[in-house]
Amino acid sequence: MEPIVDVVIPTYKPQQKYFDLLRMLAEQTVAVNRIIVMNTEEKYYEALTYGNKAVKCYRNVEVYHISKREFDHGNTRNKAVRKSKAPYFVCITQDAVPADEHLIENLIRPLEREDVAVSYGRQLPEADCMPIERFTREFNYPEESCIKGRDDIDRLGIKTFFCSNACAAYKRDVFEERGGFIRHTIFNEDMIYAAGAVLAGWKIAYAADAQVYHSHNYSWKEYFHRNVDLGVSQADHPEIFAQIKSESEGIRLVKMTAQWLKENGYGNQIPLLIWNSGWKYLGYQIGKHYQKLPRGFVRKCSMNRSYFRG
């Protein structure tokens, strides 16, 4: 009997990749039962889809609109999951496009293990991906699959908890048992959930054969803002992150990226790597210590300023 799988997609100002995503979801070897779209700001969704007949072809798509003020990385996804009754659900972002028709099949296969709570897929660089980001994708999403659990913390450190719901599948019963994603968070709801599951004795699967095209060519400002939010999320959850430092993993990434750039003829990109890494580190440190800094200053530094309202 084929498993029943729903897909959750949060959207905000969706572009053409959203249609590419829907098209590929319709071609999966394991059929998608329902696609639950939680869209932020109806006007942007309507601007993209108005008069587009292709949208009507996907009869299993349900769209729910919320305001930007209502959006929260964790709670918005929780609301979508509550609309689903499927034993498995997949979270995927609007700009992550399945590489083939086996994504859902390969993503949920690790969930057949009784001890696995969540499985996340491999994110491949897109055609326009810059060299630094291309290596970062390879660093975070290697060719080999793996299963990570509490016993791996000493060996893997912060990487034990790494999980991205840009493309991830969840067991619904475990998700409900764990209380779902944290209700209010600036960022990192996927890793916070994964860490809680690992510390409770569950395992996290990385399915390298479940592949999507998903990458970003961020500017130094975007890296800065994003890492402020990363630091804030870790400061808000010392029960997970206080005992495991992530700086060493960041330093290792920078060193390995520089070596890769040099060996592959991109040595001229090393100054850019150093520049971006400096801003990432500064942002991370501001976020980690945001509670000691003026709230207005932190808001200006954040990518998600609404998190600090009130």
Side-chain angles (χ1 to χ4, degrees):
M1 182 177 178
E2 187 172 271
I4 299 175
V5 184
D6 287 343
V7 173
V8 169
I9 310 174
T11 59
Y12 177 59
K13 296 184 179 180
Q15 302 297 322
Q16 178 59 43
K17 287 180 184 177
Y18 172 64
F19 292 123
D20 296 337
L21 169 58
L22 294 181
R23 175 177 55 81
M24 289 303 299
L25 289 177
E27 298 177 2
Q28 294 297 299
T29 53
V30 171
V32 174
N33 180 46
R34 296 165 63 201
I35 299 175
I36 302 168
V37 178
M38 296 298 290
N39 176 70
T40 302
E41 298 296 344
E42 183 174 2
K43 61 183 178 182
Y44 299 121
Y45 189 89
E46 292 299 320
L48 177 70
T49 61
Y50 181 77
N52 192 315
K53 296 180 180 179
V55 178
K56 298 179 180 179
C57 297
Y58 306 109
R59 300 185 182 277
N60 62 341
V61 176
E62 305 168 16
V63 183
Y64 301 91
H65 299 288
I66 61 173
S67 68
K68 192 171 183 179
R69 185 177 180 84
E70 293 175 281
F71 176 80
D72 182 90
H73 284 283
N75 201 40
T76 297
R77 287 174 170 86
N78 286 338
K79 289 179 180 178
V81 175
R82 286 197 290 270
K83 297 179 184 298
S84 165
K85 301 300 181 185
Y88 303 108
F89 67 90
V90 170
C91 285
I92 194 166
T93 53
Q94 65 188 33
D95 57 347
V97 180
D100 57 38
E101 68 274 18
H102 300 286
L103 173 70
I104 302 296
E105 175 187 354
N106 293 336
L107 195 59
I108 66 172
R109 184 180 295 115
L111 299 183
E112 296 174 1
R113 284 184 47 152
E114 291 186 3
D115 57 350
V116 171
V118 54
S119 168
Y120 68 101
R122 186 182 185 193
Q123 298 181 28
L124 302 173
E126 299 176 48
D128 65 346
C129 187
M130 299 295 287
I132 295 173
E133 172 68 5
R134 183 172 295 276
F135 180 78
T136 300
R137 293 287 133 176
E138 294 180 10
F139 180 85
N140 288 327
Y141 305 97
E143 295 180 355
E144 303 81 20
S145 299
C146 68
I147 304 290
K148 303 177 291 184
R150 192 163 49 193
D151 294 341
D152 298 301
I153 293 176
D154 289 342
R155 178 174 61 90
L156 296 176
I158 196 73
K159 275 284 196 178
T160 312
F161 303 148
F162 182 77
C163 177
S164 172
N165 65 12
C167 176
Y170 296 80
K171 281 180 179 171
R172 182 186 181 85
D173 56 350
V174 178
F175 187 81
E176 292 182 348
E177 175 189 310
R178 298 293 311 152
F181 294 119
I182 185 167
R183 187 176 182 276
H184 182 50
T185 181
I186 191 170
F187 182 60
N188 226 17
E189 76 290 340
D190 42 12
M191 194 165 172
I192 293 168
Y193 175 84
V198 167
L199 294 175
W202 294 94
K203 294 185 184 297
I204 306 302
Y206 167 57
D209 55 353
Q211 301 177 352
V212 293
Y213 288 105
H214 183 243
S215 58
H216 297 284
N217 293 319
Y218 287 132
S219 67
W220 66 267
K221 289 183 180 180
E222 290 170 315
Y223 279 126
F224 171 76
H225 293 310
R226 184 176 177 84
N227 277 266
V228 169
D229 292 354
L230 175 63
V232 169
S233 73
Q234 294 194 10
D236 283 348
H237 295 279
E239 75 281 3
I240 295 173
F241 299 106
Q243 304 303 318
I244 302 178
K245 292 185 177 181
S246 58
E247 289 93 333
S248 57
E249 188 68 11
I251 294 171
R252 189 167 78 92
L253 171 59
V254 173
K255 289 181 177 179
M256 292 184 66
T257 304
Q259 184 66 29
W260 182 87
L261 291 171
K262 183 178 179 181
E263 292 176 352
N264 288 273
Y266 298 112
N268 61 340
Q269 295 282 303
I270 292 177
L272 178 61
L273 169 68
I274 297 171
W275 174 259
N276 287 345
S277 298
W279 283 105
K280 288 166 73 173
Y281 183 72
L282 176 62
Y284 175 73
Q285 289 298 323
I286 289 173
K288 284 279 283 187
H289 300 93
Y290 86 98
Q291 293 160 340
K292 301 177 182 178
L293 299 171
R295 183 58 58 95
F297 170 73
V298 176
R299 285 189 76 252
K300 289 181 179 179
C301 293
S302 173
M303 183 180 288
N304 296 288
R305 297 181 179 182
S306 61
Y307 180 74
F308 300 98
R309 73 173 169 260

Short mmCIF file of all heavy atoms in Angstrom, two decimals, residues 11 14 21 27 52 68 92 99 109 113 118 120 134 150 195 212 221 224 262 267 273 280 290 299-300 310:
data_model
loop_
_atom_site.label_atom_id
_atom_site.label_comp_id
_atom_site.label_asym_id
_atom_site.label_seq_id
_atom_site.Cartn_x
_atom_site.Cartn_y
_atom_site.Cartn_z
N THR A 11 4.73 30.21 1.44
CA THR A 11 5.11 31.07 0.32
C THR A 11 5.03 32.54 0.71
O THR A 11 4.22 32.94 1.55
CB THR A 11 4.20 30.84 -0.91
OG1 THR A 11 2.83 31.11 -0.56
CG2 THR A 11 4.31 29.42 -1.42
N PRO A 14 5.95 34.46 -4.22
CA PRO A 14 6.45 33.35 -5.04
C PRO A 14 6.75 33.78 -6.46
O PRO A 14 6.10 34.68 -7.00
CB PRO A 14 5.30 32.34 -4.99
CG PRO A 14 4.08 33.16 -4.74
CD PRO A 14 4.53 34.28 -3.83
N LEU A 21 8.07 23.80 -8.96
CA LEU A 21 7.89 22.91 -7.82
C LEU A 21 6.59 22.14 -7.92
O LEU A 21 6.57 20.91 -7.75
CB LEU A 21 7.92 23.74 -6.53
CG LEU A 21 7.50 23.04 -5.23
CD1 LEU A 21 8.36 21.82 -4.95
CD2 LEU A 21 7.57 24.03 -4.07
N GLU A 27 4.63 14.89 -10.58
CA GLU A 27 5.26 13.80 -11.32
C GLU A 27 5.93 12.76 -10.43
O GLU A 27 6.62 11.87 -10.92
CB GLU A 27 6.29 14.37 -12.30
CG GLU A 27 5.69 15.30 -13.36
CD GLU A 27 6.74 15.92 -14.27
OE1 GLU A 27 7.93 15.59 -14.10
OE2 GLU A 27 6.36 16.73 -15.14
N ASN A 52 -3.49 32.60 -14.71
CA ASN A 52 -2.61 31.49 -15.08
C ASN A 52 -3.40 30.18 -15.00
O ASN A 52 -3.74 29.72 -13.91
CB ASN A 52 -1.40 31.44 -14.14
CG ASN A 52 -0.32 30.52 -14.65
OD1 ASN A 52 -0.60 29.41 -15.09
ND2 ASN A 52 0.93 30.97 -14.59
N LYS A 68 1.48 39.37 6.79
CA LYS A 68 2.89 39.31 7.17
C LYS A 68 3.04 39.37 8.69
O LYS A 68 3.94 38.75 9.26
CB LYS A 68 3.65 40.47 6.52
CG LYS A 68 5.17 40.33 6.63
CD LYS A 68 5.89 41.37 5.79
CE LYS A 68 7.41 41.17 5.86
NZ LYS A 68 8.13 42.17 5.04
N ILE A 92 8.60 21.88 2.38
CA ILE A 92 9.49 22.29 1.30
C ILE A 92 9.25 23.77 1.04
O ILE A 92 8.13 24.26 1.22
CB ILE A 92 9.26 21.44 0.03
CG1 ILE A 92 10.38 21.61 -0.99
CG2 ILE A 92 7.90 21.73 -0.60
CD1 ILE A 92 10.37 20.56 -2.09
N ALA A 99 14.75 17.49 -8.03
CA ALA A 99 15.66 17.18 -9.13
C ALA A 99 15.10 16.08 -10.03
O ALA A 99 15.48 15.98 -11.20
CB ALA A 99 17.02 16.78 -8.60
N ARG A 109 11.57 7.19 2.68
CA ARG A 109 12.07 5.83 2.93
C ARG A 109 12.76 5.69 4.29
O ARG A 109 12.51 4.71 5.01
CB ARG A 109 13.02 5.40 1.81
CG ARG A 109 13.49 3.93 1.96
CD ARG A 109 14.42 3.51 0.86
NE ARG A 109 13.74 3.49 -0.43
CZ ARG A 109 14.07 4.30 -1.44
NH1 ARG A 109 15.05 5.18 -1.30
NH2 ARG A 109 13.41 4.24 -2.57
N ARG A 113 12.22 3.35 9.33
CA ARG A 113 12.89 2.95 10.56
C ARG A 113 12.11 3.50 11.76
O ARG A 113 11.71 4.67 11.78
CB ARG A 113 14.32 3.50 10.59
CG ARG A 113 15.29 2.75 9.72
CD ARG A 113 16.71 3.27 9.85
NE ARG A 113 17.15 3.46 11.24
CZ ARG A 113 18.43 3.38 11.62
NH1 ARG A 113 19.37 3.08 10.73
NH2 ARG A 113 18.76 3.58 12.88
N VAL A 118 12.70 12.37 11.54
CA VAL A 118 12.67 13.29 10.42
C VAL A 118 13.78 12.94 9.44
O VAL A 118 14.84 12.45 9.83
CB VAL A 118 12.80 14.76 10.89
CG1 VAL A 118 14.03 14.94 11.76
CG2 VAL A 118 12.85 15.74 9.73
N TYR A 120 15.82 14.63 5.99
CA TYR A 120 15.96 15.81 5.14
C TYR A 120 16.79 15.47 3.90
O TYR A 120 17.62 14.56 3.90
CB TYR A 120 16.56 16.99 5.90
CG TYR A 120 17.99 16.85 6.33
CD1 TYR A 120 19.02 17.47 5.63
CD2 TYR A 120 18.33 16.13 7.49
CE1 TYR A 120 20.34 17.37 6.04
CE2 TYR A 120 19.65 16.03 7.91
CZ TYR A 120 20.65 16.64 7.18
OH TYR A 120 21.96 16.54 7.59
N ARG A 134 28.45 27.27 -3.99
CA ARG A 134 28.46 25.92 -4.55
C ARG A 134 29.19 24.95 -3.62
O ARG A 134 28.71 23.84 -3.35
CB ARG A 134 29.13 25.92 -5.93
CG ARG A 134 29.13 24.58 -6.66
CD ARG A 134 29.64 24.74 -8.07
NE ARG A 134 28.74 25.57 -8.85
CZ ARG A 134 27.65 25.14 -9.46
NH1 ARG A 134 27.34 23.85 -9.40
NH2 ARG A 134 26.88 25.95 -10.15
N ARG A 150 21.83 10.78 19.25
CA ARG A 150 22.45 11.32 20.46
C ARG A 150 23.88 10.83 20.65
O ARG A 150 24.75 11.56 21.14
CB ARG A 150 21.58 10.93 21.66
CG ARG A 150 21.91 11.65 22.95
CD ARG A 150 20.76 11.51 23.94
NE ARG A 150 20.33 10.12 24.06
CZ ARG A 150 19.19 9.75 24.65
NH1 ARG A 150 18.38 10.67 25.16
NH2 ARG A 150 18.86 8.47 24.74
N ALA A 195 16.96 19.01 17.06
CA ALA A 195 17.77 18.88 18.27
C ALA A 195 16.95 18.32 19.41
O ALA A 195 17.41 17.44 20.15
CB ALA A 195 18.35 20.24 18.65
N VAL A 212 16.88 18.23 -4.25
CA VAL A 212 16.22 19.41 -4.80
C VAL A 212 17.29 20.40 -5.24
O VAL A 212 18.41 20.41 -4.71
CB VAL A 212 15.30 20.10 -3.76
CG1 VAL A 212 14.11 19.23 -3.42
CG2 VAL A 212 16.07 20.49 -2.50
N LYS A 221 25.48 41.77 3.01
CA LYS A 221 24.45 42.28 3.90
C LYS A 221 23.45 41.19 4.27
O LYS A 221 23.02 41.08 5.42
CB LYS A 221 23.72 43.46 3.25
CG LYS A 221 24.54 44.72 3.15
CD LYS A 221 23.71 45.86 2.56
CE LYS A 221 24.52 47.15 2.46
NZ LYS A 221 23.72 48.26 1.87
N PHE A 224 24.97 38.88 6.71
CA PHE A 224 25.01 39.53 8.02
C PHE A 224 23.66 39.40 8.72
O PHE A 224 23.58 38.93 9.87
CB PHE A 224 25.39 41.00 7.85
CG PHE A 224 25.24 41.81 9.12
CD1 PHE A 224 26.17 41.70 10.14
CD2 PHE A 224 24.18 42.68 9.28
CE1 PHE A 224 26.04 42.45 11.31
CE2 PHE A 224 24.04 43.43 10.44
CZ PHE A 224 24.97 43.31 11.45
N LYS A 262 40.97 27.53 -4.16
CA LYS A 262 42.34 27.54 -4.67
C LYS A 262 42.59 26.39 -5.63
O LYS A 262 43.18 26.56 -6.70
CB LYS A 262 43.32 27.48 -3.50
CG LYS A 262 44.78 27.56 -3.89
CD LYS A 262 45.67 27.54 -2.65
CE LYS A 262 47.15 27.60 -3.02
NZ LYS A 262 48.02 27.55 -1.82
N GLY A 267 40.77 31.10 -7.04
CA GLY A 267 41.55 31.77 -6.00
C GLY A 267 41.18 33.24 -5.84
O GLY A 267 41.31 33.80 -4.74
N LEU A 273 35.41 35.56 0.06
CA LEU A 273 35.10 34.61 1.12
C LEU A 273 35.43 35.19 2.49
O LEU A 273 34.62 35.10 3.42
CB LEU A 273 35.89 33.31 0.90
CG LEU A 273 35.88 32.30 2.05
CD1 LEU A 273 34.49 31.71 2.23
CD2 LEU A 273 36.91 31.20 1.80
N LYS A 280 29.45 37.55 8.39
CA LYS A 280 28.67 36.46 8.99
C LYS A 280 29.01 36.30 10.46
O LYS A 280 28.11 36.14 11.31
CB LYS A 280 28.94 35.15 8.22
CG LYS A 280 28.33 35.11 6.84
CD LYS A 280 28.88 33.97 6.00
CE LYS A 280 28.37 32.64 6.45
NZ LYS A 280 28.79 31.56 5.51
N TYR A 290 22.33 39.43 21.72
CA TYR A 290 21.32 40.46 21.45
C TYR A 290 20.60 40.93 22.70
O TYR A 290 20.14 42.07 22.79
CB TYR A 290 20.30 39.94 20.42
CG TYR A 290 19.14 39.16 20.99
CD1 TYR A 290 17.92 39.78 21.22
CD2 TYR A 290 19.25 37.79 21.26
CE1 TYR A 290 16.84 39.06 21.73
CE2 TYR A 290 18.18 37.07 21.76
CZ TYR A 290 16.97 37.72 21.99
OH TYR A 290 15.92 37.01 22.49
N ARG A 299 16.94 45.12 16.07
CA ARG A 299 15.89 45.06 15.04
C ARG A 299 16.43 45.46 13.68
O ARG A 299 16.11 44.84 12.66
CB ARG A 299 14.71 45.96 15.41
CG ARG A 299 13.81 45.41 16.51
CD ARG A 299 12.56 46.24 16.67
NE ARG A 299 11.59 45.97 15.59
CZ ARG A 299 11.32 46.81 14.61
NH1 ARG A 299 11.93 47.99 14.53
NH2 ARG A 299 10.43 46.48 13.70
N LYS A 300 17.24 46.51 13.65
CA LYS A 300 17.80 46.99 12.38
C LYS A 300 18.76 45.96 11.77
O LYS A 300 18.93 45.90 10.56
CB LYS A 300 18.52 48.31 12.58
CG LYS A 300 17.58 49.47 12.86
CD LYS A 300 18.34 50.78 13.03
CE LYS A 300 17.40 51.94 13.29
NZ LYS A 300 18.12 53.22 13.49
N GLY A 310 7.03 44.57 20.23
CA GLY A 310 6.54 44.46 21.60
C GLY A 310 7.64 44.14 22.57
O GLY A 310 7.38 43.99 23.75
#
